[in-house]
Amino acid sequence: MDGEIQALNELTQHSSKRPPPGGLSDLAFGSLAGMAGKVVEYPFDTVKVRLQTSSAQVFTGTLDCLRQTWANEGFGGFYRGLTSPLVGAMAENAIAFYAYNRIQQLIRQVTGIPKDSALGLPQLFASGGLSGAICAFVISPVELVKCKLQVEHVPGNAQQAGVKFKGPLSVVGHLLRTEGLRGLYHGIAPTVARETLGVGFWFGTYELVCRQLLMRTGRGNMSKDALGPGSIILAGGCAGIAYNVTSYPIDVVKSMIQTADVRAKDAEKGTLSRKGVMATARAVYAAGGIPAFYRGLGITLLRAFPANAAMFMTYEYLSRLVVR
């Protein structure tokens, strides 16, 4: 083990690194990567959000949620509200990859690390975390709209809550009329916390797995260009798992805050939508203890591997075309 750690440290300090694409390429490739990942993951995400924001009386579990969604809404129910998050995913990933690479460049300038030397893993985790914090301000309104649309058609919600949306623009219009611009950022605090932690682990885990794979195949002094599609799929999938495992409890709190006015039970009380992060977290705990913070995690991890593998595959191979 000590030998592997030492070898990994040497790799961190001395391995060559493919220069990142230019700014416009980062934005374009990140956007396409986000679109690919979102199309793969969205049906799983719909089930996740519905499980997060509903009690066991509504859905007994993942399979029951799948069955009810199919029976009540058909195939389209799994993609309800896709437009907003698809645009958001494209913007989020474009900014994430752009910021991630630019922050690395800034770290090199400040620390004097040469361009052809890889950054240390702590620096990569930090770069990912900072890029996630920036992305949070872009995706928070998008996720707010998405979550409301995803849970509106859960049995009983629309009828009892008195809220009915025709689509993303309907949600935006309702929020602007009732709460103003501030309403679009309901849940921004947990979104920032989730993205800072999650994206840090997302990029950090991806880089760590790639380096381990290069080291184990005797190519530790080479860049990620030496890795084949199977390795990129593995690294990207592991990155998605790491993102969700580390940030999932925060995501549950965020979803509860953002859907309080749509969910029938809480709309009747008229109070949860005004609660902050800690009050909402206490309410989640009171309703189901620690397991309540992980309700829907299974379906989330199931979607995380293929969706994030698709994202990193898209970004990596488009980047290689430009560099070559």
Side-chain angles (χ1 to χ4, degrees):
M1 179 62 72
D2 292 339
E4 288 189 5
I5 294 176
Q6 182 179 359
L8 188 59
N9 287 334
E10 291 177 355
L11 172 61
T12 297
Q13 297 298 325
H14 302 296
S15 64
S16 60
K17 179 180 182 294
R18 164 171 40 95
L24 291 178
S25 296
D26 261 339
L27 293 172
F29 299 163
S31 177
L32 291 172
M35 180 176 65
K38 184 57 64 177
V39 170
V40 171
E41 77 165 10
Y42 197 77
F44 300 96
D45 186 67
T46 296
V47 174
K48 180 209 73 170
V49 172
R50 292 184 173 191
L51 287 172
Q52 284 180 332
T53 58
S54 303
S55 68
Q57 285 72 40
V58 178
F59 301 119
T60 59
T62 299
L63 292 179
D64 184 47
C65 185
L66 287 166
R67 181 187 61 78
Q68 287 197 49
T69 300
W70 178 266
N72 296 331
E73 304 168 60
F75 181 75
F78 293 102
Y79 280 94
R80 178 165 171 76
L82 173 63
T83 305
S84 172
L86 183 62
V87 173
M90 294 172 69
E92 175 189 8
N93 281 272
I95 294 172
F97 280 102
Y98 178 87
Y100 179 62
N101 286 321
R102 301 293 86 72
I103 291 170
Q104 288 184 67
Q105 291 178 357
L106 181 60
I107 289 175
R108 283 191 168 83
Q109 293 174 3
V110 171
T111 60
I113 297 176
K115 291 182 179 180
D116 58 351
S117 294
L119 295 179
L121 290 173
Q123 294 167 318
L124 293 173
F125 273 85
S127 298
L130 289 173
S131 68
I134 294 170
C135 289
F137 289 90
V138 175
I139 67 170
S140 186
V142 173
E143 291 208 352
L144 179 65
V145 172
K146 171 187 74 74
C147 288
K148 290 184 187 299
L149 289 173
Q150 285 175 320
V151 305
E152 182 192 17
H153 282 251
V154 170
N157 279 357
Q159 294 83 356
Q160 295 183 42
V163 179
K164 187 170 184 178
F165 302 119
K166 297 179 180 179
L169 293 180
S170 175
V171 179
V172 173
H174 171 77
L175 291 170
L176 291 176
R177 286 193 305 271
T178 57
E179 301 180 56
L181 186 61
R182 182 179 178 181
L184 294 175
Y185 281 90
H186 201 47
I188 182 63
T191 305
V192 171
R194 184 199 67 184
E195 291 300 288
T196 300
L197 178 65
V199 177
F201 274 89
W202 191 59
F203 277 119
T205 299
Y206 178 72
E207 299 285 358
L208 173 61
V209 174
C210 285
R211 291 181 180 190
Q212 287 281 11
L213 290 171
L214 286 169
M215 184 176 67
R216 289 181 180 277
T217 56
R219 294 174 290 180
N221 62 339
M222 302 179 71
S223 75
K224 290 194 291 288
D225 284 359
L227 295 175
S231 296
I232 298 300
I233 288 172
L234 177 60
C238 289
I241 297 294
Y243 172 93
N244 286 284
V245 168
T246 55
S247 64
Y248 196 81
I250 305 174
D251 189 54
V252 171
V253 173
K254 177 203 73 72
S255 294
M256 292 292 286
I257 290 174
Q258 291 183 327
T259 61
D261 61 334
V262 179
R263 287 178 287 114
K265 179 179 178 182
D266 298 306
E268 287 178 341
K269 295 178 181 178
T271 57
L272 187 57
S273 62
R274 293 190 292 273
K275 287 184 178 179
V277 174
M278 294 308 298
T280 303
R282 285 194 294 269
V284 173
Y285 183 80
I290 295 298
F293 290 97
Y294 292 92
R295 183 168 165 80
L297 178 60
I299 191 73
T300 300
L301 295 182
L302 185 62
R303 70 144 197 215
F305 197 98
N308 288 276
M311 277 191 274
F312 278 105
M313 275 283 289
T314 301
Y315 180 82
E316 279 292 335
Y317 278 88
L318 286 174
S319 298
R320 293 179 187 185
L321 287 176
V322 169
V323 172
R324 292 172 180 173

